[in-house]
Amino acid sequence: MSAKLPESAPVIIIGGGIIGLSTLYHLAHGGVSAVLLERKKIASGTTWHAAGIVGQLRDSTAQTELGKYTAKLFRDLEEETGQATGYKSNGTINLALSDVRHEQLLRTHDHAVRMEVPSQILSREEVAEKWPWIGTDDVQSGLFVPSNGQVNPLDVSIALDKGARQLGALRYEGIEVENLIIRNGKVVGVATDQGEIASEKVLIAGGMWSHLFAKAQGITLPLHAVEHYYIVTEPIADLPRDQPILNIVEERTYWKEDAGKLLIGAFEARGKPWAADGIPKEFEFDELPFDMEHVENELEVMFARMPMLGELGIQTFFNGPESFTPDGKPYLGPAPEVEGVFIASGMNSNGILNSGGVGLTMAEWMLDGAPSRSMGALMTSRAQPFQANTKYVHDRSAEAIGFHYGTPWQGRQVCTTRNVRKVPLHDRLAEAGAVFAERVGWEVPMYFDSENPVWGDVPAMGWKPWSKRVKIESLAARDNVVLIDQSMYAKILVQGGDAVKALNRVCGAEMDVAVGTSVYTQFLNQAGGIEADVTITRIANEEFMVITGHPSQTRDKAWIKRHAEPDWQFQIFDATSGYGLLTIHGPKSRTVLSAISGDDLSNEAFPFGSAREIDMGYARGWAIRRSFLGELGYELMMPCEFTQGVYDALMLAGEAHGLSHMGMFAMNACRLEKGFRHFGHDIGEDDTPFETGLGFAVKLDKEDDFLGKAALAAQRANGLATKYRTVSVMVESVTAAAGPWLSHNEPVWKNGEIVGHVTSGDFGFRLNKMVGLASLYKEDGVSKAWIDEGNFDVQIAGKLYPLTVQVAPFYDAKGDLMRG
């Protein structure tokens, strides 16, 4: 019998898995009675067969807070709805079988202390006491988080559904959404097999169905279904119902109590994508055939870890599909292609433990226009248009399932879907010894080693396989001159009569500047938070070139467009593929560039921050006086077809001056010495320019109104000492060889109290010191006097080290080198 669908709804949710149900529940608690449409039965896709593990600690502060919220929600749902969720705070234990993993657990324990999540480092003997059924001879340590636990996915889905409908939400089963109804770039409703419903806000939360559905609507949503395997043993005598969950990432397995039995699952390094032609329409609460040969290695590892499995017997061999994304992270937030469409898909087997926080976040996004916490690297707008390619997501998903487990470290690299996007100089850089890493499809030169141009894949937390080369490249920038190919950076051309208005609306700086001026600025949100970190050059009266990081290529275009007035006359053109971008840095950079150009490059004629078209070899291109390294430097932008010629001319002219190549690793180390912020690490949506030391880039008195102006004016009126402040830090007592190295999330202490954390860190070879950036917090304001008092320590892998903290950078604090 056909359902009687409403004619309209304030919000429509497509998909009745736990993510869609959680969003329905949180919208209802926000006073909005949304409509959820499920093609079959709720929880019938991936949710029903999930392991139901609930963890809290994440890489960022915001995501950890949402993990904590999810655990609390599961504890409270039963009391609110009367529906049991099966939630048990069994706790989780992560094992370390190697020195690297042991250090990672110590660092995670440090992070847990800062986030007020109780945790404990276990000895081998303590692990054996809690898990007597497994072999522990090779175990170095364990990290025990008692407040983590597990939940019954079906029960919690029913509880969320019940809680939402008690507050007036509507949920329909057996309704297939066929299309979005889109007019003038905006969603106005959905078309189903039982009629249309009007709505200006639609959430796609269809799990593994989402990719092809979104693609048919012109929306990029890269994910693909992959087979996931686990086994369930026969009952085990004396297995406690509150047995802690066990994670052994180095063996890619997880272990949990399941009604007196053990459920043991694996995330193999190379998985099996499923349903390349689309998920079957009849799929509902279904299993897939168990491929014993495919998971033979993982099963052998399980049996070796717990020999009694051979005698115990296996009750269930299970295989069910789950969706995985190219970078192993979910997609959340507004779809940049269609106004009013939101995404919450691609949970990478973390749907249950993400569900509460994701539902809360999506409800805030749709009700308030923005989430209350930074979503950073999880935003839907990070997806690149080429990632709508189904073969790409199919092939990558086989490896993406392996991101979930395996030892995580800075050097872990992908092998599938390589060489998708190449800079114009790719082959020349390869000949020079470039060692590439993949970043949103781009092959990015991370360091150069002509003698051994092979990626070092041995996990390390301190001195790494490439550290020697990073040192050489860093010192070359200080003493001579280096060249970096940054052609993968996004180049967005904004042009037209109202281009100034469009950019002034989103930028804190004044954009109505003279032609030939380069402006460093941030895109801001209504709260004054930072949405992008860019340089903008006015290349003509009605033309501006925005240069931003390669992950922000789609995001930044959408931000400009979303906040412009409908009647403004301007166009946005993605010029990324049309221009090469070479940068040269170091005391000899002016000499080298002058050798291939007849233009006057003197400091008087071409000062810091200026931009102009100049001769470069046989080409003409834009030169911009900037440097992310803190050295004298130039950014050189030319049409792609001239890039090789300009490169050849530079290399020839640079032979006499020691010109060499630099990769991204060395650039990052140098920018930390100089205290330059990196978007996504040191600054983000929750940070304002005044808090992060970027207030110089804000012009509160500019004529055009801009996003966040009122919030920033109020913050400035409260004085210079904001509650949060970004500072430069140095650990003088450690060496590059001995370490330990700063990375991120290390707690900062002062007088026995945690007052902040490191946002990014690395060894600075120009200073020969461990350096980084940190965000400090003090309720009544982080003043310079308070900073200058000193007495700071940083906690790294369980130990405290004296920390030097200052507002100014440690390298060339006054900026004489860049401006010289």
Side-chain angles (χ1 to χ4, degrees):
M1 182 169 59
S2 298
K4 178 63 175 176
L5 298 178
E7 293 183 358
S8 64
V11 177
I12 296 173
I13 299 171
I14 302 173
I18 196 167
I19 299 299
L21 290 168
S22 178
T23 306
L24 185 74
Y25 169 89
H26 285 94
L27 283 169
H29 273 268
V32 172
S33 298
V35 171
L36 184 147
L37 305 175
E38 164 55 42
R39 55 181 287 280
K40 293 291 186 180
K41 297 289 186 182
I42 63 170
S44 63
T46 293
T47 298
W48 73 275
H49 63 73
I53 296 172
V54 181
Q56 300 169 81
L57 294 171
R58 296 288 181 277
D59 189 57
S60 76
T61 299
Q63 291 170 43
T64 298
E65 291 290 354
L66 291 175
K68 293 168 64 176
Y69 170 80
T70 298
K72 182 179 184 303
L73 175 66
F74 288 165
R75 290 193 295 268
D76 297 344
L77 261 180
E78 184 170 346
E79 181 178 349
E80 176 189 341
T81 66
Q83 167 66 45
T85 64
Y87 185 73
K88 299 188 295 182
S89 294
N90 290 10
T92 57
I93 299 174
N94 281 275
L95 293 192
L97 308 180
S98 65
D99 292 342
V100 168
R101 185 60 182 157
H102 174 62
E103 182 175 342
Q104 289 177 341
L105 294 189
L106 292 175
R107 288 171 177 261
T108 302
H109 179 53
D110 294 344
H111 179 48
V113 171
R114 182 174 73 84
M115 296 305 303
E116 298 180 335
V117 176
S119 64
Q120 177 187 355
I121 294 293
L122 303 178
S123 66
R124 176 186 302 165
E125 292 73 24
E126 290 171 320
V127 170
E129 184 177 344
K130 290 183 179 294
W131 267 87
W133 306 275
I134 65 168
T136 56
D137 289 347
D138 58 344
V139 172
Q140 288 206 19
S141 63
L143 176 67
F144 181 42
V145 182
S147 57
N148 286 344
Q150 60 191 69
V151 70
N152 185 305
L154 268 176
D155 288 345
V156 78
S157 297
I158 294 170
L160 289 167
D161 178 50
K162 184 176 180 180
R165 290 193 289 142
Q166 284 175 344
L167 294 172
L170 300 176
R171 182 263 294 154
Y172 297 89
E173 296 179 321
I175 306 293
E176 183 177 351
V177 177
E178 297 174 334
N179 286 296
L180 302 179
I181 304 173
I182 301 170
R183 296 189 187 127
N184 299 320
K186 298 180 181 181
V187 68
V188 295
V190 301
T192 78
D193 59 353
Q194 297 186 32
E196 296 183 354
I197 308 176
S199 182
E200 294 183 351
K201 294 180 181 177
V202 177
L203 173 67
I204 300 176
M208 55 190 175
W209 284 267
S210 298
H211 165 67
L212 290 178
F213 177 81
K215 185 177 181 179
Q217 321 303 314
I219 296 170
T220 300
L221 181 46
L223 57 83
H224 201 283
V226 182
E227 298 181 8
H228 175 53
Y229 297 82
Y230 61 73
I231 61 174
V232 181
T233 70
E234 297 289 349
I236 298 177
D238 303 322
L239 179 67
R241 293 303 176 94
D242 61 352
Q243 179 63 27
I245 298 156
L246 185 69
N247 293 305
I248 314 177
V249 300
E250 291 160 292
E251 294 183 343
R252 298 184 172 276
T253 62
Y254 63 90
W255 310 58
K256 56 161 278 194
E257 185 275 338
D258 185 76
K261 298 159 283 188
L262 276 181
L263 184 154
I264 312 171
F267 291 94
E268 62 272 33
R270 195 61 62 91
K272 285 184 66 179
W274 178 71
D277 297 327
I279 312 299
K281 281 195 173 186
E282 64 274 10
F283 190 90
E284 179 185 17
F285 296 114
D286 287 342
E287 297 182 31
L288 303 178
F290 194 93
D291 188 340
M292 193 74 70
E293 183 178 353
H294 175 71
V295 291
E296 180 180 6
N297 179 68
E298 285 69 29
L299 292 172
E300 288 178 354
V301 168
M302 295 174 190
F303 278 73
R305 180 59 58 187
M306 185 176 172
M308 67 176 286
L309 285 176
E311 302 174 2
L312 182 62
I314 307 302
Q315 185 181 88
T316 302
F317 291 88
F318 184 85
N319 177 15
E322 299 184 0
S323 61
F324 289 84
T325 65
D327 59 5
K329 300 172 184 175
Y331 288 98
L332 307 177
E337 299 91 344
V338 181
E339 186 176 343
V341 175
F342 293 79
I343 306 292
S345 294
M347 294 298 129
N348 298 276
S349 201
N350 281 329
I352 305 302
L353 60 87
N354 279 339
S355 60
V358 168
L360 173 66
T361 297
M362 298 313 302
E364 291 174 339
W365 231 320
M366 289 185 280
L367 295 178
D368 305 328
S372 59
R373 297 174 179 86
S374 167
M375 287 297 100
L378 307 185
M379 292 181 67
T380 297
S381 54
R382 77 182 187 276
Q384 304 292 307
F386 84 92
Q387 291 178 309
N389 182 293
T390 300
K391 177 172 173 53
Y392 166 82
V393 291
H394 170 277
D395 293 353
R396 172 60 70 84
S397 69
E399 189 174 12
I401 187 173
F403 298 164
H404 197 51
Y405 274 42
T407 304
W409 74 293
Q410 188 181 16
R412 186 161 72 167
Q413 262 301 303
V414 298
C415 300
T416 56
T417 60
R418 294 297 299 262
N419 297 306
V420 176
R421 308 170 84 182
K422 295 181 179 181
V423 297
L425 297 178
H426 178 88
D427 293 347
R428 278 172 163 76
L429 299 179
E431 290 175 5
V435 183
F436 298 95
E438 187 268 358
R439 299 287 187 270
V440 287
W442 287 106
E443 293 296 317
V444 178
M446 302 305 292
Y447 66 99
F448 288 78
D449 187 350
S450 58
E451 296 180 0
N452 183 34
V454 178
W455 189 266
D457 59 358
V458 180
M461 296 298 295
W463 185 271
K464 300 175 182 66
W466 51 78
S467 294
K468 179 181 177 181
R469 301 305 308 177
V470 171
K471 178 179 181 178
I472 291 171
E473 294 171 17
S474 298
L475 296 183
R478 183 192 68 185
D479 301 333
N480 294 305
V481 54
V482 296
L483 182 147
I484 309 174
D485 189 341
Q486 295 178 251
S487 298
M488 75 291 299
Y489 277 42
K491 302 159 216 74
I492 302 166
L493 184 62
V494 183
Q495 55 190 356
D498 291 320
V500 169
K501 289 182 180 180
L503 291 172
N504 259 340
R505 171 64 59 85
V506 297
C507 294
E510 173 61 72
M511 297 314 306
D512 194 4
V513 295
V515 174
T517 301
S518 173
V519 178
Y520 169 65
T521 187
Q522 292 79 40
F523 288 0
L524 304 174
N525 56 40
Q526 287 288 10
I530 298 171
E531 295 286 340
D533 191 54
V534 302
T535 59
I536 303 178
T537 301
R538 191 168 199 170
I539 59 177
N541 191 50
E542 295 185 355
E543 293 186 21
F544 295 80
M545 184 65 79
V546 181
I547 298 179
T548 185
H550 43 293
S552 299
Q553 184 175 350
T554 299
R555 172 178 176 164
D556 292 357
K557 289 184 296 182
W559 196 255
I560 300 170
K561 183 178 179 180
R562 185 176 300 136
H563 293 95
E565 297 295 330
D567 60 344
W568 285 354
Q569 299 297 307
F570 73 100
Q571 299 83 38
I572 300 175
F573 174 69
D574 190 335
T576 304
S577 297
Y579 289 90
L581 181 64
L582 307 181
T583 66
I584 58 172
H585 314 262
K588 300 179 182 179
S589 58
R590 179 182 286 121
T591 302
V592 173
L593 183 57
S594 295
I596 71 165
S597 176
D599 292 79
D600 185 357
L601 304 181
S602 67
N603 200 43
E604 295 73 24
F606 197 1
F608 182 80
S610 57
R612 65 172 60 171
E613 276 193 293
I614 66 169
D615 291 347
M616 307 175 188
Y618 294 133
R620 290 278 290 173
W622 279 91
I624 307 166
R625 255 307 283 283
R626 293 206 171 272
S627 171
F628 199 45
L629 277 63
E631 304 286 352
L632 172 66
Y634 301 84
E635 298 178 355
L636 309 176
M637 185 176 66
M638 70 294 295
C640 271
E641 64 267 29
F642 295 104
T643 306
Q644 291 186 3
V646 172
Y647 169 81
D648 291 342
L650 285 169
M651 295 306 297
L652 181 62
E655 283 184 5
H657 305 285
L659 176 62
S660 58
H661 295 87
M662 174 180 274
M664 293 296 153
F665 281 143
M667 187 176 79
N668 181 67
C670 289
R671 68 96 184 171
L672 283 169
E673 292 176 302
K674 183 58 181 168
F676 285 150
R677 283 62 167 151
H678 184 274
F679 182 72
H681 288 92
D682 311 301
I683 52 177
E685 300 91 335
D686 292 343
D687 309 303
T688 73
F690 293 140
E691 294 167 345
T692 54
L694 302 176
F696 64 88
V698 176
K699 189 173 177 58
L700 286 172
D701 60 350
K702 71 177 182 179
E703 183 176 345
D704 288 339
D705 192 17
F706 63 94
L707 295 174
K709 180 177 182 178
L712 292 177
Q715 190 174 63
R716 173 55 75 203
N718 289 333
L720 295 174
T722 56
K723 290 184 179 181
Y724 294 92
R725 193 163 185 175
T726 301
V727 295
S728 290
V729 297
M730 177 187 289
V731 189
E732 298 191 50
S733 60
V734 303
T735 64
W741 286 40
L742 291 178
S743 176
H744 69 290
N745 279 338
E746 293 88 355
V748 175
W749 295 75
K750 181 179 173 72
N751 299 325
E753 178 185 1
I754 293 179
V755 296
H757 68 284
V758 173
T759 54
S760 56
D762 205 343
F763 199 85
F765 290 103
R766 293 180 301 184
L767 293 169
N768 198 31
K769 297 291 183 183
M770 186 67 63
V771 295
L773 290 165
S775 177
L776 302 184
Y777 172 81
K778 191 169 184 286
E779 181 62 31
D780 59 354
V782 180
S783 66
K784 186 175 185 301
W786 182 74
I787 293 171
D788 292 342
E789 289 173 2
N791 202 30
F792 291 95
D793 294 289
V794 64
Q795 186 174 346
I796 313 176
K799 296 181 180 180
L800 293 178
Y801 297 85
L803 189 69
T804 301
V805 178
Q806 62 185 46
V807 174
F810 290 101
Y811 188 77
D812 188 31
K814 295 181 180 180
D816 294 335
L817 295 176
M818 289 194 307
R819 292 171 171 81

